[in-house]
Amino acid sequence: MKKVLKYLGLGILLLIVFAVVAGFIAHEPLPKGAAGPAANALARKMEAALDKAAWDDTRFVSWQFRTGTDYLWDKDRKAVRVKWGDTEVYLRTQNQSGRVFENGKEVTDEEQKQASLAKAWAFFANDSFWLCAPMKAFDPGTTREIVKLEDGSDGLLVRYNSGGVTPGDSYLWHLTEEGLPKAWQMWVNIIPVGGLEFSWEDWTAAPQPRVAQQHNGSLFSVPIQNLSFPEFSADDNPLQLLWQN
């Protein structure tokens, strides 16, 4: 039995060492590009291919992330309902205030409430970015650069110097000739390996906003599930709960 445990431990150690070495081998340094009008024009071309106007005109978006977290987002009122497990959070995205429910009962303990609000905001900031990152190339705090890719085409590097949960992240878009994203590479604080690549595919069709519902990577995939663009009146908007006493 001791020998089995010894070899099992050795095997796990070797797997960890292999994963670390593979990560360093796969790591790519953040490329340097050229900022200026041409980079901004490429970003606008991407927006046109995505029909960003249709996205801007859409008020409600509902989807489920790969973790099972469920969202209903009211873009106009800057509010979102975030559900995971027995927790349901109604969050104002501008100031991260809101209401929290556990098993259908509102949480009144302030420490527990704030912890759930912070968790919901972190979930939403990450998961909504996988949903609509191409629409955010001109967000406050961003810069844009053109990077020459290995195939000779122009890639669009977008740096996020502020905002979100982890400011300082950068993303390099690989685009079709029409400007539609087909993949991105990421340099983000929470992942020590730079340049990991994920696809952007399975796009919704017009007249809906263009949203990629599948992101395939070498280590894991990130699906956008049960995506829809519901419509609610002022009376039946579920997020109205945020503005009620």
Side-chain angles (χ1 to χ4, degrees):
M1 187 63 180
K2 288 184 178 179
K3 284 187 176 181
V4 172
L5 292 175
K6 178 181 178 181
Y7 288 124
L8 181 60
L10 181 60
I12 293 173
L13 179 61
L14 288 173
L15 284 174
I16 293 173
V17 171
F18 176 78
V20 171
V21 172
F24 278 109
I25 292 174
H27 175 79
E28 296 182 23
L30 179 65
K32 294 182 179 179
N40 291 338
L42 184 58
R44 293 299 185 195
K45 181 178 180 179
M46 180 175 72
E47 289 184 338
L50 292 162
D51 192 4
K52 185 175 181 293
W55 171 260
D56 291 342
D57 289 341
T58 298
R59 178 170 179 178
F60 295 99
V61 187
S62 176
W63 80 98
Q64 189 177 71
F65 198 62
R66 64 184 293 270
T67 55
T69 308
D70 186 86
Y71 297 93
L72 175 62
W73 183 12
D74 184 341
K75 292 164 60 249
D76 285 4
R77 298 201 72 175
K78 296 178 173 56
V80 63
R81 183 186 66 195
V82 187
K83 296 169 65 175
W84 69 90
D86 297 322
T87 303
E88 188 172 25
V89 175
Y90 293 78
L91 180 74
R92 300 178 184 91
T93 59
Q94 281 187 306
N95 59 13
Q96 291 85 65
S97 66
R99 303 175 69 176
V100 177
F101 296 82
E102 293 280 355
N103 295 305
K105 183 177 180 180
E106 185 159 14
V107 173
T108 56
D109 179 81
E110 193 62 25
E111 184 175 351
Q112 182 183 355
K113 175 183 175 181
Q114 292 303 321
S116 293
L117 288 171
K119 190 173 183 179
W121 167 245
F123 283 167
F124 173 72
N126 177 78
D127 300 356
S128 65
F129 198 70
W130 284 95
L131 179 82
C132 64
M135 316 294 184
K136 301 171 71 63
F138 287 91
D139 273 13
T142 59
T143 57
R144 292 150 297 282
E145 301 172 11
I146 287 182
V147 173
K148 191 63 69 175
L149 303 178
E150 289 184 359
D151 63 1
S153 64
D154 288 337
L156 176 67
L157 180 66
V158 181
R159 301 174 184 259
Y160 291 84
N161 303 307
S162 62
V165 178
T166 56
D169 295 345
S170 299
Y171 301 84
L172 177 60
W173 292 101
H174 297 236
L175 308 172
T176 66
E177 289 186 6
E178 295 75 23
L180 190 68
K182 57 184 179 181
W184 71 2
Q185 290 178 267
M186 56 177 61
W187 286 262
V188 297
N189 292 324
I190 62 172
I191 301 176
V193 179
L196 287 182
E197 183 172 327
F198 289 85
S199 68
W200 282 66
E201 55 188 286
D202 189 19
W203 291 90
T204 53
Q208 298 180 108
R210 303 298 306 278
V211 175
Q213 299 172 95
Q214 187 62 41
H215 310 288
N216 294 321
S218 58
L219 300 178
F220 58 91
S221 297
V222 182
I224 302 296
Q225 300 170 315
N226 302 320
L227 176 68
S228 66
F229 306 97
E231 296 183 3
F232 300 101
S233 67
D235 294 330
D236 63 0
N237 180 357
L239 291 166
Q240 189 63 28
L241 185 69
L242 265 175
W243 292 275
Q244 296 173 349
N245 294 328

